[in-house]
Amino acid sequence: MCKVGDIIVVDKYIGDDGKEVNKHSFIVIDDNHSQIGGLDYDFVSCVMSSFKNEEHRKRKLKFEENIEITSDDIASGKTNSKSGFVKADQLFYFDKKKIKYFVLASVDPELLDELIKIIVHLQVKNKLKQNTQNIKEEQPV
């Protein structure tokens, strides 16, 4: 069972390009059952990515929608002590019954607050991408 603030690892999911992606981390930002476009979901999350090197880090953090996450931002659970970033402009909708995942850790409340504030800011600017590919009938189980 995942909850808001958890870092989860999803076994397989459909990315915004329509292709299947294996083993990726997400931060859960909403864990309420609801619907979007007539499709049921029970949590929403933002995808995380790793930095390849310092140049990649600098380039990615120039964008307002990317938030750095370090091992200091992990409140509990496992960490690989690598820093990465959260893509706050990409919301992924999931149905827990249609995917395989596990809870890896949880983020510090301050990072979660910052993430939510940026999402709201991006929503006002109409800059959010909503991925509902993973709640459609055919799933990569």
Side-chain angles (χ1 to χ4, degrees), residues 20-82:
E20 188 175 287
V21 181
N22 292 321
K23 299 247 190 249
H24 218 83
S25 299
F26 292 83
I27 296 178
V28 177
I29 59 163
D30 181 12
D31 63 351
N32 294 306
H33 178 81
S34 192
Q35 283 191 337
I36 183 169
L39 300 168
D40 289 324
Y41 68 89
D42 52 19
F43 76 92
V44 183
S45 58
C46 292
V47 68
M48 297 172 62
S49 287
S50 298
F51 295 123
K52 296 177 181 142
N53 53 42
E54 186 59 26
E55 176 59 34
H56 185 242
R57 179 185 170 278
K58 288 177 184 176
R59 192 171 65 246
K60 289 298 181 181
L61 293 179
K62 287 181 182 176
F63 297 100
E64 69 177 335
E65 64 268 19
N66 294 334
I67 304 170
E68 184 169 22
I69 184 168
T70 67
S71 58
D72 293 339
D73 297 314
I74 308 299
S76 64
K78 300 175 186 172
T79 177
N80 63 8
S81 67
K82 285 180 155 182

Side-chain angles (χ1 to χ4, degrees), residues 71-118:
S71 58
D72 293 339
D73 297 314
I74 308 299
S76 64
K78 300 175 186 172
T79 177
N80 63 8
S81 67
K82 285 180 155 182
S83 66
F85 62 104
V86 182
K87 299 176 183 180
D89 65 330
Q90 298 180 26
L91 303 182
F92 284 79
Y93 293 78
F94 289 102
D95 181 337
K96 294 173 194 165
K97 296 180 296 275
K98 294 182 178 180
I99 61 166
K100 292 180 184 174
Y101 73 94
F102 65 91
V103 176
L104 179 67
S106 62
V107 296
D108 189 84
E110 288 83 20
L111 179 81
L112 183 61
D113 286 345
E114 180 184 355
L115 177 58
I116 299 297
K117 286 177 187 174
I118 290 174

Side-chain angles (χ1 to χ4, degrees), residues 1-23:
M1 214 48 190
C2 61
K3 62 186 184 314
V4 172
D6 281 349
I7 297 173
I8 63 168
V9 177
V10 174
D11 190 45
K12 293 179 185 176
Y13 74 98
I14 306 296
D16 48 332
D17 60 0
K19 295 182 180 175
E20 188 175 287
V21 181
N22 292 321
K23 299 247 190 249

